[in-house]
Amino acid sequence: MSDHRRRIFGIGVNSPDSTPASSRDASPAAAQQDERPANSYAVVPAAKLDKLSRKGKNRATKRRNVWIFFVLGGLLGVLVAGFFATSNGGLDKLADMAGLSDMNLDAILDVLPAGLIQEVRDLQTPEKDVVNYDSFAIGLQARSEGVSARYPVIMIPGVISTGLESWGTEEQSRQYFRKRLWGSWSMMRALVLDKTSWKRHIMLDPVTGLDPPGVKLRAAQGFDAADFFITGYWIWNKILENLATIGYDPTNAFTAAYDWRLSYMNYEKRDQYFTRLRNHIELGKQVSGLKVVLLSHSMGSQVLYYFLHWVEAEGYGHGGPSWVNDHIESWINISGCMLGALKDVPAVLSGEMRDTAQLNALAVYGLEKFLSRQERAEIFRRMPGISSMLPIGGEAVWGDHTSAPDDRPGQNITYGNFLSFRQSGNDSANSSTPSSNLTMGQALPYLFAHTQQWYRDATQQAYSRGVAHTGKVVEDNQHIPAKWINPLETRLPLAPDLKIFCFYGIGKPTERAYFYRDDPASSSGNNVTTGDGDPRVMIDTSHSTSDSFVDRGVIMGEGDGTVNLLSTGYMCNKGWKMKRYNPAGIKVTTHEMRHEPDRFSARGGPNTGDHVDILGRSSLNDLILRIAGGQGDKIETKVYSDIMMYADKVKIYDDEVEEA
Amino acid sequence: MSDLRRRIFGFGVNSPDSTPASSRDASPAPTQQDENTANSYTVVPAAKLDKLSRKGKKQATKRRNVWIFFVLGGLLGVLVAGFFATSNGGLDKLADMAGLSDMNLDAILDVLPAGLIQEVRDLQTPEKDVVNYDSFAIGLQARSEGVSARYPVIMIPGVISTGLESWGTEEQSRQYFRKRLWGSWSMMRALVLDKTSWKRHIMLDPDTGLDPPGIKLRAAQGFDAADFFITGYWIWNKILENLATIGYDPTNAFTAAYDWRLSYMNYGKRDQYFTRLRNHIELGKQVSGLKVVLLSHSMGSQVLYYFLHWVEAEGYGNGGPSWVNDHIESWINISGCMLGALKDVPAVLSGEMRDTAQLNALAVYGLEKFLSRQERAEIFRRMPGISSMLPIGGEAVWGDHISAPDDRPGQNITYGNFLSFRQSGNDSANSSTPSSNLTMGQALPYLFAHTQQWYRDATQQAYSRGVAHTRKAVEDNQHIPAKWINPLETRLPLAPDLKIYCFYGIDKPTERAYFYRDDPASSSSGNNTTAGDGDPRVMIDTSHSTPDSFVDRGVIMGEGDGTVNLLSTGYMCNKGWKMKRYNPAGIKVTTHEMRHEPDRFSARGGPNTGDHVDILGRSSLNDLILRIAGGQGDKIETKVYSDILMYADKVKIYDDEVEEA
């Protein structure tokens, strides 16, 4: 136990308890320290030892909790990895670091401790440690080249990465008052010690889509909301460091954090998020006299796209048709999942995704024991914000039974079959599996047919995922809030002076389609309650190919490890080059970033293209500084992937009327 | 050293290193643990001990730093206590807790560890510990009586209590990036490990009044800026808890933290503080459809008073003459030092105040060794914001050679002699002491004559401390920013619908005047030609005490909340703002005095404290705040227990005779 505690609380490792030290001073044997016969014995005052022994004994009462720490400590990593889309590519790695993929129990034991040791060490060591491999380096370089803070900068973080604080004051919540139940060690502790209570806090009410009665969670405020997910795991911190180096501080930089669990309309209704964001942008402009540069990451890009519509719309932001043009200098879209994230589908359908499917058997066993597929699916569904990332564009973008735009030559399974089902033998009457494979156009109806009524209603009402094929439809859609997340049904604002920069990673295998099968746990017979919501299917992890094209039921494609290339790249390279989606001709500059991870760096080092870790990438930081410093016009489009080829195969075309 | 480390880093105390534990398991002796013969010896594997010894040896290289940890760890408490005005009354107690007053070296050693242990324990224990004696209780009670969140609430903290983060990215600052160099353990560590660097960061440039080149400190943001000063030492947290209980959260509550080191004009110039505050108030009103309730504490009240002028003034906030009336529902003025804080004078003059003067000899020795009077005075002077609290009103308020408004019957020394000097014998040619005692009207010129040119210029230019005796003078002053801190030279805004609530503590002895003498350390060198070079040449005469504690080690005690004097907290609320020229719109001012009735067993005074800072946790204060925020402020009645009205009548400021004629 005490060994365990030492690991968890860290200190013993660095500073040996001094009591034995002083006992040694008092001991006649202390002089022996030069000769070390391994098994000789030394004499020390028994009273001192006795004291130590008693200290040790006190701890024994807590011994029964050990197994919790042992098993669950590691599983937390998986859960975190399990909350996907934004953070996943990276958090995934956290789990790797934690040794979860290999399910080494010793390594698991080190997970929590490693973090806590770090946290505690932060308290004691001189703070020089903070200066990491490349902290400030990009900023210093840029500064030496004459780049300095110019435009006010506002950052819009992605899903998951924003911390959520409890503000409830009911009995059950008081212990968490103003502590983070998302994105901190408090979360870890709450999850381990009282999972039921943690779930009650974190899940929204299915009917209202808001906090359940008596519970109150709010997004953390300020830079702290998204600089680190948990101690040591940076999200925006590197960008903050570099921005600060060229002159940014709280007066000209701001993090606009939001409660990503809510559906977008409720951001405004409950928290007045969009009103506040507009206010911050206006204040930034008023104070500096310059328009504002917006940075968004992952789902933050969808939120921002929604905002661009909200702010100008009559009856909503009331900004009028030139607000965006008047207030926003540039939009830096980092890893933006403009057409959603495919892994959202299995997550909501069965609480699974690549990250859970590709765990080894022991890890899966532990995870299911602690937080089952059913529970995970339930949690995901009761965070309507997450469903904003269900894929957009249907078969036109994601392919049909015969082919998909991003199929590679020689590929023997098309990505168009988004969900492929293994028929469960003769038991087909009882089965939830459809008789054929499903394209994206079929997969979402299938999802809605097998989820609860409230989920179906909430999601379908909040978000529209289709394609508008004519300019007229697009213009009509501009007034429908549910369409504002969808860049294929609405257009960019009429802001000819706005500049859009798309930065995203490529070259990291990303989940693209799935093999599914009946879930033996749930198919035990009651097929009358179709649509009761419990996942009745699961990823068929027995299906793999030797070339890793299919890995434990997950078919891999192109992307940044979390979001697919079509989602990050289609709008930037093709969609927004079409007149109906970008009638003002806003300049869109794409800069793709190859995933070239440093094998010895846990987060991939300065050239990673990973979905989240890219926020620490040198070239990304450099480009951000140049744009914020007013030199964005020097940035050129760099496209290395085959996105143009894929985009041409997407069945969305510029209005023929225009050409006629 | 390792013993020290154990205490400082806390862990050894709770969780013994497991290495010795396992060595004991291997030992034949552990069964002896029943008989604890103090000096018997037991046998353990020498290799293990050796290993431990080597660990111990590694630390030995740091051994020369021990004295720093030993002495300075404790002294930090004093330094913090030394930064006065707002937090002092309370931080004072922190020092008391830390055993500094009695200068028990063992106790000092425990100071830092106690906090760190707490901090670390926070990480491990279930968080239930957070629920303290009366957390949420006031809010729950109010809620059960039907009080719920109504108006948006914005809090303006006092001096000192706001954390300051480093944003500099120069070599020297990088290690502190986004860490607090004020108001955290990072500050403590920086101060102990690298005092020079810490001072360079924290002190402003004398000429610009802004950060020195390459350094960048900014106020922390959000509720975290002022909820706790350091872990476990709450400032606004209790109020936050109670506000949350009746329904407040980040959407309708906000902490408007500022960098209190700057002069007020620079709040706006560098950080656009007033613009942002105005924006927050306007947004709050826009979102809720209701006017905003402002809470200010201590110096925050002076800042807010300044803001009320700035926001309406042409060329500044440009809000127009009805902005305050249109946007502010109520102003809750908690412990507001509207006429300054007297302890500001000795702090800036000689780096001293009651808190340092009343330490015992050993503590004084340690403190002077680590951070001398000269250094302290320098630090205070190079935070121009602190000088905003130099006393306002001169002899009219604070008395003359014959008497002071708050003199008690039978008092044989008048408070009017604010600085009394002991003549330093025949050496008078070399002396900085004036030939007579100084009233407040004489003390400030004396201060300026004995401080550096830049300090004199900056302070005199930024703040005006006089009295306007006519309505016309007041109206003219409304356009002069330097007058905006002074409620005796300007008036309240024309906001008849605004409600002002003054809540402050009484009955806690508060420093009121000082005995001074030549500083032997500085007058021995003899160069009296450089008068005004800034080094303090006088010091509090701590040898002067009376048996009844009326004079305690050179400090003459009077009435107040332990930090700010009753005249400063109470005069405007009870008298000044009842005068037509200072409150022409007839804004309703409700005063609720709170007697200091500390709980002897509570470190922070418990639910009935009237202490300057600890009052923020007082039950009745929290209750009143909730009622005002919940829209029931009109039920609050004036309660005055002190003799402030009697004193106020003796203050030589009178309503315009023209009005009466």
Side-chain angles (χ1 to χ4, degrees), chain A residues 11-29:
Chain A
I11 287 307
V13 178
N14 306 326
S15 55
D17 186 303
S18 59
T19 313
S22 53
S23 78
R24 267 174 287 115
D25 289 346
S27 148

Side-chain angles (χ1 to χ4, degrees), chain B residues 182-403:
Chain B
W182 189 268
S184 75
W185 292 107
S186 306
M187 156 189 173
M188 297 300 185
R189 190 167 46 229
L191 180 50
V192 170
L193 296 179
D194 191 354
K195 186 182 74 169
T196 319
S197 166
W198 180 80
K199 276 175 61 185
R200 195 167 49 235
H201 279 80
I202 212 82
M203 293 198 301
L204 296 171
D205 187 283
D207 295 322
T208 63
L210 300 171
D211 287 313
I215 303 266
K216 203 171 192 180
L217 249 63
R218 294 292 181 268
Q221 309 276 302
F223 298 108
D224 296 340
D227 55 349
F228 290 92
F229 182 71
I230 42 176
T231 313
Y233 193 89
W234 49 263
I235 307 277
W236 286 85
N237 194 53
K238 297 217 173 268
I239 290 177
L240 284 180
E241 285 171 351
N242 288 316
L243 284 175
T245 306
I246 63 165
Y248 284 95
D249 60 41
T251 63
N252 50 6
F254 180 73
T255 298
Y258 53 93
D259 184 346
W260 42 267
R261 300 171 306 148
L262 301 181
S263 72
Y264 291 5
M265 215 42 180
N266 282 331
Y267 291 178
K269 222 184 274 176
R270 193 194 71 180
D271 296 339
Q272 304 90 40
Y273 176 74
F274 298 116
T275 305
R276 290 171 203 276
L277 178 55
R278 186 182 76 171
N279 186 266
H280 268 291
I281 293 171
E282 289 175 346
L283 183 63
K285 190 188 170 191
Q286 181 196 332
V287 161
S288 70
L290 293 167
K291 293 197 263 185
V292 173
V293 169
L294 299 175
L295 272 71
S296 66
H297 177 240
S298 187
M299 171 173 150
S301 297
Q302 288 190 291
V303 173
L304 182 53
Y305 186 81
Y306 186 97
F307 169 77
L308 294 180
H309 292 82
W310 177 92
V311 71
E312 294 197 339
E314 193 76 54
Y316 296 91
N318 289 324
S322 68
W323 191 94
V324 172
N325 203 45
D326 293 344
H327 291 85
I328 303 180
E329 172 65 30
S330 303
W331 167 21
I332 305 177
N333 172 6
I334 306 164
S335 312
C337 49
M338 300 313 302
L339 300 182
L342 296 183
K343 67 195 304 179
D344 225 21
V345 178
V348 174
L349 180 60
S350 63
E352 297 173 294
M353 62 200 74
R354 182 178 66 81
D355 316 76
T356 63
Q358 294 181 2
L359 291 171
N360 69 26
L362 185 52
V364 166
Y365 175 80
L367 179 60
E368 294 296 327
K369 208 77 187 157
F370 177 57
L371 205 63
S372 69
R373 282 193 296 284
Q374 283 77 12
E375 284 180 287
R376 288 176 339 236
E378 177 80 1
I379 291 175
F380 292 142
R381 289 176 198 173
R382 285 177 60 174
M383 295 176 166
I386 281 182
S387 293
S388 70
M389 288 178 294
L390 287 173
I392 288 169
E395 292 181 13
V397 173
W398 303 103
D400 53 27
H401 288 300
I402 301 152
S403 72

Side-chain angles (χ1 to χ4, degrees), chain A residues 2-3 5-6 9 11-21 24 26-30 32-38 40-47 49-50 52-57 59 116 119-120 122-128 130-131 135-136 140 143 165 167-170 174-179 186 189 193 216 218-219 221 223-224 227-228 237 240-241 244-252 270-272 275-276 278-280 283 286-287, chain B residues 2-3 5-6 9 11-18 20-21 24 26-29 32-38 40-47 49-50 52-57 59 116 119-120 122-128 130-131 135-136 140 143 165 167-170 174-179 186 189-190 193 216 218-219 221-224 227-228 237 240-241 244-252 270-272 275-276 278-280 283 286-287:
Chain A
S2 67
D3 183 49
R5 282 178 65 89
R6 175 175 59 88
F9 304 130
I11 287 307
V13 178
N14 306 326
S15 55
D17 186 303
S18 59
T19 313
R24 267 174 287 115
S27 148
Q32 291 182 0
Q33 65 194 19
D34 291 346
E35 19 152 337
R36 350 176 170 160
S40 78
Y41 290 103
V43 181
V44 294
L49 272 186
D50 180 20
L52 284 170
S53 305
R54 269 180 288 127
K55 278 192 192 170
K57 261 171 91 181
R59 296 281 121 66
L116 267 176
E119 189 148 32
V120 168
D122 275 357
L123 291 171
Q124 19 167 324
T125 56
E127 313 185 21
K128 310 228 175 189
V130 175
V131 185
S135 291
F136 306 104
L140 291 168
R143 193 171 64 186
E165 293 176 349
W167 278 82
T169 54
E170 297 302 315
R174 255 173 248 165
Q175 56 177 316
Y176 302 121
F177 184 66
R178 292 192 58 231
K179 307 235 166 186
S186 306
R189 189 166 46 226
L193 297 179
K216 201 171 193 179
R218 293 292 181 270
Q221 309 277 301
F223 299 107
D224 295 341
D227 55 349
F228 290 92
N237 194 53
L240 283 180
E241 286 172 350
T245 307
I246 64 165
Y248 284 95
D249 62 42
T251 63
N252 51 6
R270 194 194 71 181
D271 295 339
Q272 303 90 42
T275 302
R276 290 171 203 277
R278 186 182 78 170
N279 187 264
H280 268 292
L283 183 63
Q286 181 195 330
V287 161
Chain B
S2 64
D3 182 49
R5 283 178 65 89
R6 173 178 60 89
F9 303 131
F11 276 101
V13 178
N14 308 323
S15 56
D17 187 302
S18 57
R24 265 175 288 115
S27 148
Q32 292 186 354
Q33 64 195 20
D34 291 346
E35 20 155 332
N36 9 342
T37 26
S40 81
Y41 288 102
T42 183
V43 181
V44 294
L49 268 187
D50 182 19
L52 282 169
S53 303
R54 270 180 288 126
K55 276 193 195 171
K57 257 172 96 184
Q59 253 88 276
L116 268 176
E119 188 148 32
V120 169
D122 275 357
L123 292 172
Q124 17 169 326
T125 56
E127 313 187 21
K128 310 229 175 192
V130 175
V131 185
S135 291
F136 306 103
L140 291 168
R143 191 171 64 185
E165 293 177 349
W167 278 82
T169 55
E170 297 302 315
R174 256 172 248 165
Q175 57 175 317
Y176 302 121
F177 184 67
R178 293 191 58 229
K179 307 234 167 186
S186 306
R189 190 167 46 229
L193 296 179
K216 203 171 192 180
R218 294 292 181 268
Q221 309 276 302
F223 298 108
D224 296 340
D227 55 349
F228 290 92
N237 194 53
L240 284 180
E241 285 171 351
T245 306
I246 63 165
Y248 284 95
D249 60 41
T251 63
N252 50 6
R270 193 194 71 180
D271 296 339
Q272 304 90 40
T275 305
R276 290 171 203 276
R278 186 182 76 171
N279 186 266
H280 268 291
L283 183 63
Q286 181 196 332
V287 161

